[in-house]
Amino acid sequence: MSRPNHPLRRAPRLVLTAWVILVAVAAALALQLDGALSGGGFTAPRAEALVTQAGIERDFGDAPNQVVVVLDGDDGISPAAIDETTALLAEHGAVSVTTPGQRPDYASADGRTVVITAGFDGDNTVAQNLTPDLQEGVSDLAGGVDGYVTGQPALDYQLNAHSKEDALRAELIVFPVLIVVLLIVFRSVAAAVVPLLIAGSSLAIALGAGYLIARETDVSNLYSNIVSMIGLAVSVDYSLFIVKRFREELSHGRSVRDAVDVAMARAGHSVLFSGAAVIVALAALLVPRVMAFTSIALGGMIVTAVALVLTHTVLPSLLILLGRRIDWGRVPLPSRRPRRASGSTAADSTSTGTGLRGRPSPTRAMSAVVALVGVVGLLAVSSPALGLSLQSPVASATVLPEDDPARIGLDVAAARIGVDDLFPLQVVIGADDASELVDDVAKASRLLQEHADVASVTSVTTSGIDPALLPALLASDEAPAELGALWAEGSAGTVARLLVTTDDGPDSVEAHDLVREIRDELPDELGSSSTVAVAGATAQGLDFDETLVDSLPTIAVLVFVATFLLLIVAFRSVTLSLLALAFNALVVGASLGALTLVQSLTSDVPLNSVTPVLLFAVMFGLSMDYMVIIIARIAETYERGAVFGSAVTDGLRATRPMINSAALIMIVVFLAFMTGQISIVREIGLGLAIAVALDAVVIRTIVLPSVLRAIGPGVFGARSRRRRSQPQTAGGNLVS
């Protein structure tokens, strides 16, 4: 055959030298990534809660970072322990410290548990990084006192630390398992090592790129998790597809360079479209403009792009240099039953309509029934997702492992004292003049106190001072300090805030509903010039969830349209492209339904609102792999002259071992993240593992072939039918 002109393949040693240098530089940068990542990112920065919070910090002088220390002891907390903790916080830069001396409600009734809050100015990342030193300090308190550092900066720090541990643990689990799986698949040490080299290189380069990005902007700790999760899956799978095709072509008697050219033109071209689908789907996660999603999108897009570049430059160079030594290190496993290559029986099956083993292909009617049963089954599995409850746990530590000190501290405070006062709703009211504002605050306080879900309201009008005297008192220098924290002359006029706690806790559904009611109804109850805004952890969580919900239609449309256009280019068939979208939607729906069912049976905590959106985007891209590879081989067989039913059977049989191996690898990778300590990482890992299993076992084995047989050869479009009579080249078939 004529050899395509690929300059990089003419200089494989130069390519590999550049690869080694690039990986070495990237690895050096990747080692610095952990310190550059940020915790959190589960807030909508342009939504009402955070905008209002910025105004509160400006007008009331609140420190932007609030650290909470919980002291717990069997014999009570001594004043000395409180003083020592206060001194520790001041030593580390706290600009304000509040103890039970100023807030009696910060101590339990029996005196065994107290809460101390401290405000820190400056960057959130700086405040987060104080956590280990503060935790070490409060852990050394005398008198049998247990100390725990919690609050948002500590929760973010611990989330970051555990994310790093989760990624490392998963990689340590995955690589040995991958070695075993790849040895079984390839039965050769050399062939098994090649995908691992590509995978390790992809991770190093993507993590190194993450460090460069984190130097310029905030990047969530989930970046490293998604790079490991997606990077290992796609880089090993893409390498597997190409290496298997290369070895297949060698077995047909091709030269090494011809085998590389065919493998890259066939499997490599399919991989290119598969990777592009992953990148396009993940790009839609940039729509909400939320740090956590942006970081996840960037991590997945970068590592997939790197994997594509390496599989199209480094991998063919490795294969050229290895040549037939790709079979070095044969593993003595039981031999498989030999099968003839796809397409070799085209002449035999053209007239009979049978598969490779002579079995008649199912009729269209039978195929339609099987397809219908499969689709109905997947829809049934999807049904639990209809009752899906989504909520981001902004005001809780349930995302962290149970033995984490930040979670223990919050749990102890919630059980012994209550955490509502630590995470109150902050209702900020503004008016044209002080007298009108006092009236508005009084009315708002009364309405909120009458609400069934409100536990307490603290405002200038609940202090017991005659409201008629408040305007003058608040304008004077004699106003009590506690009132000064509730009333301020802001940059846009006089403002007051009400601190509202709920009966069911800051992360409850009732608390979220209360925020909506305040925003929707309270402005109508107050003066015409009044303004109302709500801040606080509950409001931030609600804004995050609503930002995702509002973004979902845009995300879905972008993913569907972009993927459809990409598939049109790949398949040259509208029917096939629509089928691929339908199959992907079925897989995502069924996996989300199964995940919802598992979550409801194993936990009373709702799914994190991040999980379904991420599952949709990631799986929509990943499931293209199998569709593209299978359709490419079916089209290749059909265009060589096989009867359509035989082409479907032969194409599936030729790709089934490879698809099953690839699916097993992905499932292993995703399940490894089930060992993670962060609940959202476990949710994502389980959801993706379920999705891949359903995709490979149900969609590609049952539904896809049945639908193809039911539709017939028209599924390929006129282009493929015309090409049946034309000579085929390495790159000249549908999808290639």
Side-chain angles (χ1 to χ4, degrees):
M1 61 172 286
S2 60
R3 186 173 302 135
N5 183 26
H6 295 289
L8 290 177
R9 292 179 206 167
R10 293 201 299 267
R13 288 181 174 81
L14 180 61
V15 171
L16 296 185
T17 300
W19 167 51
V20 171
I21 294 172
L22 176 60
V23 171
V25 173
L29 295 176
L31 293 175
Q32 306 175 64
L33 175 62
D34 292 329
L37 296 176
S38 301
F42 298 96
T43 52
R46 287 159 296 280
E48 178 180 312
L50 280 189
V51 172
T52 304
Q53 184 62 39
I56 289 172
E57 294 168 7
R58 180 185 64 246
D59 296 338
F60 292 93
D62 287 11
N65 305 296
Q66 296 290 326
V67 172
V68 178
V69 177
V70 179
L71 304 181
D72 185 58
D74 293 336
D75 299 325
I77 308 302
S78 66
I82 296 175
D83 291 342
E84 187 176 346
T85 303
T86 301
L88 175 69
L89 292 166
E91 178 185 339
H92 283 80
V95 295
S96 64
V97 178
T98 304
T99 69
Q102 294 87 41
R103 291 284 302 272
D105 56 332
Y106 276 14
S108 63
D110 57 10
R112 294 168 51 189
T113 305
V114 304
V115 165
I116 300 171
T117 60
F120 288 83
D121 286 332
D123 183 74
N124 179 258
T125 302
V126 174
Q128 290 177 32
N129 291 333
L130 295 174
T131 300
D133 291 338
L134 292 175
Q135 183 60 55
E136 182 180 358
V138 299
S139 297
D140 293 336
L141 294 174
V145 174
D146 296 321
Y148 309 99
V149 179
T150 186
Q152 201 59 56
L155 295 173
D156 288 345
Y157 176 86
Q158 298 294 4
L159 182 65
N160 197 358
H162 290 303
S163 294
K164 172 186 173 183
E165 294 170 3
D166 289 350
L168 179 60
R169 182 187 304 104
E171 289 167 11
L172 292 176
I173 293 172
V174 163
F175 272 102
V177 176
L178 285 182
I179 291 172
V180 174
V181 173
L182 290 171
L183 285 174
I184 294 173
V185 170
F186 289 123
R187 300 170 179 240
S188 157
V189 172
V193 168
V194 168
L196 296 178
L197 290 175
I198 299 298
S201 302
S202 299
L203 297 191
I205 295 172
L207 293 174
Y211 170 72
L212 297 178
I213 297 172
R215 293 184 60 186
E216 303 300 326
T217 186
D218 289 336
V219 176
S220 167
N221 48 65
L222 290 175
Y223 179 94
S224 57
N225 291 93
I226 208 69
V227 164
S228 296
M229 192 180 293
I230 301 299
L232 285 170
V234 300
S235 56
V236 173
D237 270 16
Y238 295 167
S239 302
L240 182 148
F241 294 148
I242 293 171
V243 172
K244 281 188 74 69
R245 188 59 187 257
F246 170 71
R247 297 177 79 202
E248 180 182 328
E249 297 304 323
L250 286 179
S251 69
H252 291 168
R254 295 191 188 273
S255 69
V256 170
R257 286 189 177 271
D258 282 350
V260 169
D261 287 337
V262 173
M264 297 309 299
R266 303 285 194 188
H269 204 56
S270 299
V271 161
L272 190 61
F273 278 103
S274 300
V278 174
I279 293 172
V280 164
L282 286 171
L285 295 180
L286 299 173
V287 169
R289 298 171 65 193
V290 171
M291 193 252 281
F293 273 101
T294 299
S295 302
I296 289 170
L298 288 175
M301 292 166 65
I302 290 172
V303 77
T304 303
V306 170
L308 286 178
V309 171
L310 294 183
T311 52
H312 283 75
T313 56
V314 174
L315 181 55
S317 298
L318 280 172
L319 296 179
I320 287 172
L321 292 180
L322 282 173
R324 298 186 185 278
R325 286 172 294 182
I326 192 70
D327 291 327
W328 177 84
R330 282 285 186 177
V331 178
L333 294 173
S335 60
R336 301 173 181 137
R337 180 181 298 177
R339 291 173 179 165
R340 286 173 287 181
S342 174
S344 62
T345 60
D348 298 334
S349 58
T350 299
S351 60
T352 64
T354 61
L356 286 176
R357 296 184 179 178
R359 296 174 183 173
S361 299
T363 64
R364 284 192 174 187
M366 184 185 302
S367 297
V369 171
V370 173
L372 181 62
V373 171
V375 170
V376 170
L378 287 172
L379 290 175
V381 176
S382 304
S383 60
L386 297 176
L388 186 62
S389 176
L390 302 178
Q391 191 169 305
S392 54
V394 174
S396 77
T398 54
V399 71
L400 295 174
E402 294 182 356
D403 60 350
D404 183 274
R407 176 169 180 174
I408 294 174
L410 209 55
D411 289 345
V412 168
R416 307 278 175 79
I417 301 174
V419 296
D420 289 345
D421 288 331
L422 301 178
F423 300 103
L425 299 182
Q426 300 194 58
V427 182
V428 179
I429 301 177
D432 286 345
D433 62 69
S435 296
E436 182 182 356
L437 183 55
V438 169
D439 292 340
D440 286 343
V441 171
K443 188 170 186 178
S445 298
R446 185 179 68 256
L447 290 172
L448 289 170
Q449 286 171 328
E450 293 171 356
H451 196 284
D453 295 320
V454 171
S456 68
V457 178
T458 302
S459 70
V460 292
T461 62
T462 62
S463 61
I465 300 174
D466 186 349
L469 302 177
L470 279 173
L473 177 62
L474 292 168
S476 70
D477 295 332
E478 299 177 359
E482 59 268 21
L483 294 186
L486 302 170
W487 184 279
E489 293 297 330
S491 58
T494 307
V495 292
R497 64 173 165 178
L498 294 72
L499 305 180
V500 182
T501 63
T502 61
D503 290 320
D504 297 297
D507 254 344
S508 64
V509 173
E510 291 76 12
H512 283 67
D513 290 341
L514 178 60
V515 173
R516 293 190 184 94
E517 290 181 34
I518 293 173
R519 289 173 171 173
D520 294 342
E521 301 174 10
L522 188 57
D524 295 335
E525 300 289 342
L526 306 183
S528 59
S529 66
S530 300
T531 60
V532 177
V534 185
T538 303
Q540 291 176 23
L542 176 65
D543 286 347
F544 178 76
D545 295 338
E546 291 187 341
T547 297
L548 291 190
V549 171
D550 292 343
S551 300
L552 281 178
T554 304
I555 292 174
V557 168
L558 285 177
V559 169
F560 273 96
V561 171
T563 305
F564 178 73
L565 294 176
L566 190 64
L567 291 170
I568 286 291
V569 174
F571 292 147
R572 301 291 197 273
S573 166
V574 173
T575 304
L576 272 177
S577 301
L578 291 175
L579 283 177
L581 294 180
F583 292 153
N584 285 7
L586 278 173
V587 167
V588 171
S591 59
L592 189 54
L595 182 61
T596 303
L597 181 61
V598 171
Q599 184 77 2
S600 65
L601 294 175
T602 59
S603 173
D604 56 359
V605 178
L607 280 178
N608 194 300
S609 54
V610 172
T611 302
V613 184
L614 182 60
L615 183 62
F616 168 75
V618 172
M619 200 57 217
F620 219 88
L622 288 181
S623 60
M624 284 297 129
D625 284 1
Y626 307 149
M627 184 74 176
V628 172
I629 292 291
I630 292 172
I631 293 299
R633 186 56 72 93
I634 292 174
E636 184 181 336
T637 305
Y638 178 65
E639 290 174 1
R640 286 174 175 169
V643 169
F644 180 76
S646 297
V648 172
T649 301
D650 297 352
L652 288 169
R653 183 169 292 123
T655 56
R656 184 175 294 125
M658 179 168 54
I659 296 299
N660 290 342
S661 301
L664 178 60
I665 287 170
M666 280 198 178
I667 291 170
V668 167
V669 170
F670 295 143
L671 287 181
F673 284 86
M674 283 291 293
T675 64
Q677 303 173 82
I678 305 299
S679 62
I680 183 175
V681 174
R682 295 197 301 271
E683 289 177 7
I684 295 169
L686 178 59
L688 289 175
I690 292 172
V692 171
L694 289 173
D695 194 19
V697 175
V698 180
I699 291 289
R700 309 307 164 187
T701 302
I702 300 173
V703 178
L704 172 61
S706 299
V707 169
L708 291 179
R709 291 188 182 104
I711 296 175
V715 73
F716 286 135
R719 174 178 178 267
S720 182
R721 290 195 298 272
R722 287 196 305 268
R723 299 183 58 151
R724 278 170 63 87
S725 60
Q726 299 175 2
Q728 300 300 308
T729 63
N733 62 293
L734 184 73
V735 192
S736 293

